[in-house]
Amino acid sequence: MTIDKQGASLQRILENMHTSVLLLDSALRLRFINPAGEMLFALSAQRFIGQPVDNVLFDRDATLALQQVLQTGSPFTERELVLNLGYRDKVTVDLTAIPLYDGGGGETELLVEMKQVDRQLRITREEGLLAQSHATRALVRGLAHEIKNPLGGLRGAAQLLERELHNEELKEYTHIIISEADRLHALMNRMLGPNALPHKRQINIHQAVERVRQVVGAEISQGISLVRDYDPSIPDVYADLDQLIQALMNLVRNAVQALGDEGEITLRTRALRQYTIGTVLHKLVARVDVIDNGPGIAPDMRENLFLPMVTGRVEGTGLGLPIAQSLVNANGGLIEWESRPGQTVFTVLLPIELKRENLQEAQA
Ligand SMILES: Nc1ncnc2c1ncn2[C@@H]1O[C@H](COP(=O)(O)OP(=O)(O)OP(=O)(O)O)[C@@H](O)[C@H]1O
Ligand SMILES: [Mg+2]
């Protein structure tokens, strides 16, 4: 192969790779970026060639790590590195940086490869959430069955006994048995969550969001503001309105409780194109975010947030999130979350089943 031909094939390879490839000079200025890199950072090579890598990565720590590679000459690899980008929050990549020495003793360049792993991580995590939700429901269902039957017998026997008792003082004991049995029965029912099948119909997601906003708006203290950030053009979802309201209500109430006396809750709606929920790819997905600027989810709760009875509040029963998750699952969707001090986001994702007329709109 001639040098020209070889160069052309190398060019073609770089252009068609899924991995982002950047070449930096010894002052960490961008010398080359392949199309996958342009896509990842949403920039055009023409404009960015010659610019400092800071203008591309917007991430001081990553730049420092690259400088270190140049200084020490040792390659650098980091898995699941979270880069802060200028145009959107962040992206997770596996990054490798290798110093390239010019044999003639000229300037050292840096070859940086990045593979975006967000999507893969998200899918794995969502599969985990769904599996956990299914396992929990199966466990609770079994447990509730085993408890509710003897509980019914216990309650009936206490009632019969009460009829035979003529001493009011002794009746107090049977009252306790009956009311505690009722409390346990109600708890079991709450843990089981909704057992009715969803009554699905085409609904505008904002019907649910607005209802929740109105109800919660009337309950909250003056220091808490409820902000609307809606995309009114989202096509209808095929879902059970009451179940969505209940699920969103649980999320918004949690946000209110996390804020205490003051703070801000934002209700944000968006449509996402070509989005996977769990492992299923949907053409269009409706997304509702409940965002609060409270303290964030306590680190020790994160692993088991959606398990029943997991609560960080003295008066909490820890059922709000598992119930919300199972309601949204029953409507084909999923609840995701992300939290750091000052910003907690619970996201309801619901597939939009496109009817023919909606499909045309969505494609337009
Ligand atoms: N927006 C949030 N900010 C901070 N922590 C939260 C938030 N949402 C939920 N949590 C934490 O998750 C826990 C579990 O929430 P969940 O709704 O399942 O139960 P609960 O609110 O404690 O009780 P219940 O909803 O049954 O009354 C909460 O106790 C709280 O510690
Ligand atoms: Mg709750």
Side-chain angles (χ1 to χ4, degrees):
M1 220 189 293
T2 67
I3 292 192
D4 267 0
K5 263 196 173 162
Q6 217 172 11
S9 344
L10 286 177
Q11 181 84 19
R12 252 203 321 279
I13 292 171
L14 282 167
E15 279 175 4
N16 288 293
M17 277 171 77
H18 280 295
T19 309
S20 306
V21 178
L22 284 70
L23 188 67
L24 308 177
D25 67 16
S26 58
L28 292 184
R29 283 180 303 238
L30 190 65
R31 189 161 269 181
F32 169 84
I33 183 165
N34 72 340
E38 290 179 271
M39 290 248 293
L40 180 65
F41 295 105
L43 57 79
S44 101
Q46 271 183 335
R47 279 195 46 218
F48 277 79
I49 295 297
Q51 294 215 18
V53 73
D54 262 347
N55 293 1
V56 177
L57 295 184
F58 286 102
D59 195 299
R60 221 33 237 153
D61 290 342
T63 311
L64 287 176
L66 296 180
Q67 255 159 9
Q68 191 110 33
V69 177
L70 274 180
Q71 277 158 13
T72 61
S74 337
F76 167 80
T77 299
E78 177 115 349
R79 283 177 141 330
E80 294 177 19
L81 175 72
V82 180
L83 292 175
N84 294 306
L85 299 184
Y87 70 102
R88 64 174 184 212
D89 290 342
K90 50 193 192 266
V91 63
T92 310
V93 295
D94 287 347
L95 180 146
T96 309
I98 302 165
L100 298 182
Y101 300 104
D102 171 4
E107 153 180 52
T108 306
E109 293 173 315
L110 206 57
L111 174 67
V112 183
E113 285 173 64
M114 280 180 250
K115 198 166 166 49
Q116 188 176 358
V117 290
D118 291 328
R119 203 176 120 86
Q120 219 37 55
L121 289 175
R122 189 172 64 74
I123 289 175
T124 314
R125 195 181 127 98
E126 292 191 355
E127 276 182 314
L129 278 175
L130 277 173
Q132 191 190 48
S133 174
H134 287 147
T136 311
R137 238 173 301 157
L139 178 73
V140 169
R141 223 177 279 138
L143 191 68
H145 183 259
E146 288 306 306
I147 290 179
K148 275 165 86 172
N149 281 345
L151 205 58
L154 207 71
R155 190 186 192 284
Q159 262 178 325
L160 288 176
L161 187 63
E162 192 172 78
R163 263 184 238 152
E164 300 299 321
L165 290 177
H166 301 293
N167 179 339
E168 285 305 312
E169 256 174 50
L170 289 179
K171 276 192 186 173
E172 235 174 73
Y173 296 122
T174 48
H175 278 324
I176 294 175
I177 299 175
I178 292 169
S179 66
E180 287 298 288
D182 287 346
R183 200 173 60 84
L184 201 52
H185 193 263
L187 175 68
M188 280 292 122
N189 281 343
R190 274 202 73 202
M191 278 182 82
L192 277 174
N195 55 0
L197 283 175
H199 291 295
K200 293 190 188 183
R201 57 195 171 86
Q202 295 289 338
I203 55 163
N204 186 323
I205 190 86
H206 297 100
Q207 274 175 273
V209 184
E210 269 295 284
R211 176 83 64 79
V212 174
R213 193 186 66 82
Q214 281 160 359
V215 173
V216 176
E219 295 171 352
I220 53 178
S221 64
Q222 285 207 320
I224 298 181
S225 47
L226 272 176
V227 180
R228 277 185 278 191
D229 176 4
Y230 296 166
D231 171 359
S233 68
I234 302 174
D236 287 354
V237 292
Y238 185 61
D240 182 316
L241 179 63
D242 291 332
Q243 294 192 340
L244 285 193
I245 291 174
Q246 161 91 65
L248 284 167
M249 196 75 91
N250 291 3
L251 300 182
V252 177
R253 289 223 165 100
N254 279 350
V256 171
Q257 284 153 356
L259 288 177
D261 286 334
E262 56 186 40
E264 188 175 277
I265 298 172
T266 307
L267 301 173
R268 180 170 66 187
T269 62
R270 293 288 183 269
L272 305 169
R273 274 160 213 279
Q274 301 294 347
Y275 198 85
T276 36
I277 298 180
T279 48
V280 185
L281 177 68
H282 298 276
K283 274 210 171 65
L284 211 51
V285 165
R287 162 182 188 146
V288 183
D289 296 313
V290 177
I291 308 162
D292 73 71
N293 62 354
I297 288 162
D300 58 336
M301 317 236 350
R302 290 166 177 246
E303 280 290 300
N304 301 320
L305 202 55
F306 284 93
L307 292 184
M309 314 302 249
V310 170
T311 180
R313 298 189 298 113
V314 182
E315 73 282 26
T317 57
L319 292 177
L321 287 177
I323 288 175
Q325 183 68 280
S326 67
L327 286 169
V328 172
N329 291 168
N331 285 276
L334 181 76
I335 301 180
E336 251 293 14
W337 64 277
E338 216 179 60
S339 177
R340 56 182 157 85
Q343 174 154 307
T344 299
V345 187
F346 277 86
T347 301
V348 176
L349 297 162
L350 283 167
I352 296 174
E353 314 296 349
L354 290 176
K355 287 190 295 189
R356 200 161 286 138
E357 62 266 36
N358 290 346
L359 193 60
Q360 278 159 359
E361 259 174 48
Q363 283 170 343

